[in-house]
Amino acid sequence: MTGNKNRDLRARNLELFRRGVPDIYARLEEAGQAVDEDLGAPPAERTYSARFTVKAPAREDLDAHTFHFLQAVLRRATDAGIAFFTEPRSPDTYFLVVVGASHGGRLLALLERIRPLCVVVVVPDGGALRRSFDNVDWTAIFRAVRTRNGELHFLLEDDADRVSANVWRVLRKTNPAAADGFTVVAHDHHDLARRIIRNLGDEAQLIVAGLGFFHDEMLMLANAYRNLGAANARVFKRTPDCDRGLPAFVIGSGPSLDWAIDAVKAHAGQAVVISCGSALRPLVRNGIVPDFQIEIENINVSPLTTQVAREHDITGVTLVTACTVDPAAVSVFDDVAYFFRKALSPYPLFCRTEDWSLPLPDPTVVNAGLSFAQVTGFRDVYLFGVDFGSQLPYQHHAKDAFHHTPEGTSFKHVSYDIEVDANFGGTCFTDRGLFAARDNAVEAIRVYGDGRRYFNCSDGVAIHGARPTRPEDLALPRTGIDKRSVVADIVGGFESGVSLVGTWPGDAVGNAIEDYAGRLKACLAAIDDFGDKAFYQPLMTILRPQMGYLDSPERSTESAVNILFRGTLFGMLIFVEYYLSRVADPAHVERFGNIARDELIRRFDALKELALVGLGGEAPRPLSPSEPVAAAAGEALPKLLRIGRNAACPCGSGLKYKHCHGKAD
């Protein structure tokens, strides 16, 4: 009888996945019937969990608008007598990652207890998921998630690096504002789970990075309009399906470039050399003139390019740069082509085809260089100085890089405090931003993997999909292909002679700003329960976090306006969630939520007026130099009210604070 029940449940589960998750069902079919013949009760493994929290806000990590928003919110909360815990008050979470699929009863109980709105189930392969079909009622699990209008994702993957990268992509495209407190629970596959948890712990602060902010977007719109409006402006165009016949050297300025520079010089005549950002100076100082120079930053580029142009002849170098670059950085190059970045506000205003953009060009210029090599038809790509970190925590950049010159002394070196696998074995060190850059490089190699080979000649972080290759072992075949003709063919494919920007649509942008403000305020006003994280869901339909991240924005002023505001809005909402979840007394949650809503609307109104002044006229203007990018060094967030250690815990447990939520202190 039990066997019949198991077979019936298995059949229902298979049909559920066939109809509801067809891509996962295809993987289940690949696992085959052999799996079904060896099903049994799930192993009685111990369940363990990890919870990840966002770092408390600090002035130096925030733009001025977010800082002053938090300052006002916390002052009002303090005046209202609202106290805060140091850790989240309840186990509720927006995001739940479950490793293992064998324990449906445990999972259902967990869903009821912590009320997640986005659940990611991780299993090593289709067989592991299919084995759960005899004892897990997946219909009940689907129903429990979707009753709250939640999302259920499946990752069939046994590589912890790819799992953690994909978890972050799900989180980033779904609701980065609610990242604080996301939870991982391991029911089985504990070795895989430990590696995933280690990775996610290293990456936990990445969610607050790379979302963009208002001041930056205003500047980039002004830069793009000026750059693209030039009479001789040209745009890059993808040609991924051709085969250039020569390899591409993608050069970063990591410390190991010093070790590899002789090999690069010896083989530069047999490869197209793509210099990324500050790699330009080490190359030309060593007699290597790159074929292409890649830039993505909108500030702090012109000092580097001007210095190199003053010291060396770079007339043979073609600059391929984001259209948002500082116009002063462009003037030292004779040949320039612009590309678009989908996550930035100029894309939906000016980019007429996705072929004018680079895929996965962030967060570092090396990512853009790798992307350029991939979508211009290079089948063999060699990475030099692409360290994404360093063998020693205090090392940064090749010795001839701008950052080691007197003009570059203002460069602030970040701390390499994350230990990761090194390219040639052992370990090395990286930081949050470079960790994300490594993940995006791995994803780019996966996406553009067919028919291509990648060689990592850098003595830095291991990059999955790129073969470790020592520079001294490099042996390139003689192809007989003229490198100059390859470069000329690429440059000749750039679009020119087209009107890229035309008249600035000031009135349309102004109307779109007013419309956006109305919809955002109406959505905020409709929130009636700040204790249920479901209040974020309508907001995400306005902020659309997936737009420009995974999905190409539609060409419209509405999309541009959303990108203009949403980075700073996300920054504010991330810390609304941070403090909402730490309000000590549950009875004060709504009061704090109302304060945060009032101040969010007040701060957004100030941003809206700045945007209307800067963008509503005949041409976009960056913010006035008097408008601060960051809060002044002397400013601080208010000191929060805390609970006395011997006071009753406000959560209602009946315990003293020091024996309850105060344990975290």
Side-chain angles (χ1 to χ4, degrees):
M1 191 69 176
T2 301
N4 290 335
K5 287 183 178 180
N6 288 351
R7 283 193 291 273
D8 290 345
L9 179 58
R10 182 194 312 165
R12 290 199 302 274
N13 283 328
L14 281 168
E15 180 62 13
L16 173 70
F17 276 76
R18 186 185 71 80
R19 295 168 63 91
V21 202
D23 55 330
I24 297 299
Y25 178 79
R27 299 280 300 275
L28 296 173
E29 286 296 283
E30 291 173 9
Q33 296 297 321
V35 173
D36 295 338
E37 296 169 3
D38 189 29
L39 298 173
E45 292 196 60
R46 177 174 58 91
T47 295
Y48 67 96
S49 64
R51 193 174 199 190
F52 300 96
T53 54
V54 170
K55 186 175 71 172
R59 178 193 56 78
E60 59 271 19
D61 297 330
L62 305 175
D63 71 283
H65 301 289
T66 302
F67 177 85
H68 290 128
F69 160 74
L70 285 175
Q71 196 176 52
V73 168
L74 296 178
R75 279 175 180 161
R76 286 184 59 184
T78 300
D79 291 345
I82 299 173
F84 297 89
F85 293 145
T86 56
E87 296 295 328
R89 177 186 63 259
S90 79
D92 286 7
T93 182
Y94 199 101
F95 294 97
L96 170 65
V97 178
V98 179
V99 183
S102 299
H103 300 275
R106 293 184 191 175
L107 180 52
L108 275 173
L110 187 64
L111 296 176
E112 182 177 344
R113 186 168 69 90
I114 68 176
R115 305 191 301 164
L117 289 147
C118 182
V119 180
V120 182
V121 177
V122 179
V123 290
D125 51 47
L129 178 58
R130 187 161 179 148
R131 274 188 286 272
S132 73
F133 281 13
D134 272 16
N135 52 73
V136 176
D137 184 356
W138 282 102
T139 298
I141 292 169
F142 275 60
R143 185 183 303 116
V145 175
R146 291 175 178 171
T147 295
R148 286 176 49 75
N149 295 316
E151 301 178 14
L152 184 58
H153 302 268
F154 292 87
L155 293 179
L156 276 56
E157 178 61 69
D158 62 359
D159 183 281
D161 289 344
R162 286 198 288 264
V163 170
S164 58
N166 281 317
V167 166
W168 281 117
R169 289 187 183 96
V170 169
L171 189 152
R172 173 66 176 78
K173 76 181 181 67
T174 304
N175 180 8
D180 183 55
F182 88 87
T183 300
V184 180
V185 174
H187 287 149
D188 40 42
H189 312 297
H190 285 181
D191 287 341
L192 174 62
R194 290 187 190 97
R195 296 195 300 272
I196 294 169
I197 288 171
R198 182 197 67 185
N199 285 354
L200 293 174
D202 289 338
E203 302 165 13
Q205 305 308 320
L206 290 177
I207 193 59
V208 299
L211 292 171
F213 60 97
F214 176 78
H215 190 287
D216 218 24
E217 292 291 342
M218 290 286 288
L219 176 60
M220 288 189 287
L221 279 169
N223 285 354
Y225 187 74
R226 180 176 169 185
N227 288 329
L228 296 171
N232 60 344
R234 293 190 300 169
V235 288
F236 154 87
K237 189 174 183 181
R238 300 185 195 182
T239 53
D241 297 328
C242 67
D243 184 350
R244 298 296 175 185
L246 288 178
F249 285 1
V250 177
I251 316 289
S253 64
S256 74
L257 180 59
D258 296 332
W259 166 57
I261 199 74
D262 289 341
V264 173
K265 187 173 183 178
H267 296 282
Q270 302 165 257
V272 172
V273 179
I274 301 168
S275 167
C276 303
S278 56
L280 180 61
R281 189 172 187 271
L283 290 173
V284 296
R285 279 182 63 83
N286 286 275
I288 305 164
V289 179
D291 302 295
F292 296 97
Q293 170 69 11
I294 310 296
E295 296 290 354
I296 64 167
E297 298 296 341
N298 61 303
I299 58 172
N300 299 328
V301 176
S302 57
L304 184 154
T305 57
T306 302
Q307 180 195 63
V308 175
R310 186 175 64 244
E311 297 174 346
H312 303 276
D313 181 6
I314 57 172
T315 54
V317 181
T318 296
L319 174 66
V320 179
T321 179
C323 64
T324 53
V325 71
D326 174 7
V330 173
S331 61
V332 300
F333 292 89
D334 294 334
D335 204 3
V336 180
Y338 297 104
F339 64 84
F340 288 87
R341 297 163 63 187
K342 290 194 289 186
L344 305 183
S345 48
Y347 182 99
L349 282 177
F350 305 127
C351 189
R352 300 177 190 171
T353 169
E354 195 171 54
D355 285 344
W356 288 0
S357 69
L358 286 180
L360 294 170
D362 308 303
T364 71
V365 67
V366 162
N367 296 96
L370 172 60
S371 178
F372 176 77
Q374 291 172 318
V375 298
T376 48
F378 291 98
R379 301 295 159 171
D380 284 353
V381 179
Y382 292 80
L383 308 176
F384 298 91
V386 182
D387 295 4
F388 291 139
S390 176
Q391 289 289 330
L392 299 172
Y394 53 82
Q395 283 184 323
H396 68 86
H397 294 88
K399 62 182 177 62
D400 288 325
F402 171 81
H403 306 79
H404 294 300
T405 68
E407 293 171 75
T409 53
S410 61
F411 167 74
K412 182 181 178 182
H413 173 52
V414 298
S415 174
Y416 293 145
D417 54 358
I418 300 174
E419 192 171 355
V420 292
D421 292 337
N423 188 38
F424 297 112
T427 59
C428 64
F429 299 89
T430 189
D431 71 350
R432 293 185 309 179
L434 293 177
F435 201 113
R438 189 282 309 265
D439 281 354
N440 269 12
V442 170
E443 178 66 6
I445 289 171
R446 185 194 68 80
V447 172
Y448 289 92
D450 291 346
R452 290 174 173 83
R453 299 187 300 174
Y454 299 89
F455 304 87
N456 188 359
C457 307
S458 313
D459 193 15
V461 173
I463 301 172
H464 188 85
R467 182 187 308 169
T469 305
R470 295 187 179 277
E472 62 268 26
D473 296 335
L474 205 60
L476 300 183
R478 297 284 179 180
T479 63
I481 297 174
D482 180 14
K483 168 180 166 172
R484 289 172 299 181
S485 67
V486 171
V487 173
D489 189 57
I490 294 171
V491 173
F494 297 158
E495 296 262 4
S496 60
V498 295
S499 177
L500 297 175
V501 292
T503 303
W504 173 254
D507 289 343
V509 172
N511 291 337
I513 290 171
E514 293 287 5
D515 177 70
Y516 187 83
R519 289 187 293 115
L520 178 68
K521 290 180 185 180
C523 190
L524 290 169
I527 299 172
D528 60 5
D529 184 359
F530 284 100
D532 186 343
K533 297 181 192 298
F535 79 79
Y536 285 108
Q537 291 173 319
L539 279 171
M540 292 308 108
T541 66
I542 295 174
L543 298 176
R544 293 183 287 170
Q546 77 285 359
M547 186 181 73
Y549 178 63
L550 295 179
D551 300 340
S552 296
E554 62 187 36
R555 191 162 183 251
S556 67
T557 53
E558 291 75 16
S559 294
V561 165
N562 179 42
I563 295 173
L564 169 69
F565 288 115
R566 72 175 181 186
T568 290
L569 289 172
F570 273 134
M572 295 177 186
L573 288 169
I574 283 169
F575 293 109
V576 169
E577 171 62 22
Y578 179 90
Y579 288 108
L580 262 178
S581 68
R582 288 164 176 77
V583 171
D585 188 339
H588 291 166
V589 168
E590 294 305 315
R591 185 185 306 174
F592 179 81
N594 288 329
I595 290 172
R597 171 169 49 198
D598 290 348
E599 293 300 330
L600 186 61
I601 291 173
R602 191 191 314 274
R603 180 57 55 177
F604 178 78
D605 280 340
L607 293 176
K608 185 189 79 169
E609 292 308 312
L610 289 171
L612 288 171
V613 170
L615 304 178
E618 295 181 356
R621 295 182 297 169
L623 295 176
S624 165
S626 63
E627 184 69 30
V629 179
E635 294 190 85
L637 295 174
K639 187 176 181 179
L640 302 178
L641 293 179
R642 299 293 189 187
I643 310 301
R645 285 180 53 76
N646 290 310
C649 190
C651 73
S653 66
L655 300 173
K656 288 185 177 181
Y657 174 66
K658 65 183 178 182
H659 296 308
C660 191
H661 281 83
K663 287 181 179 179
D665 294 339

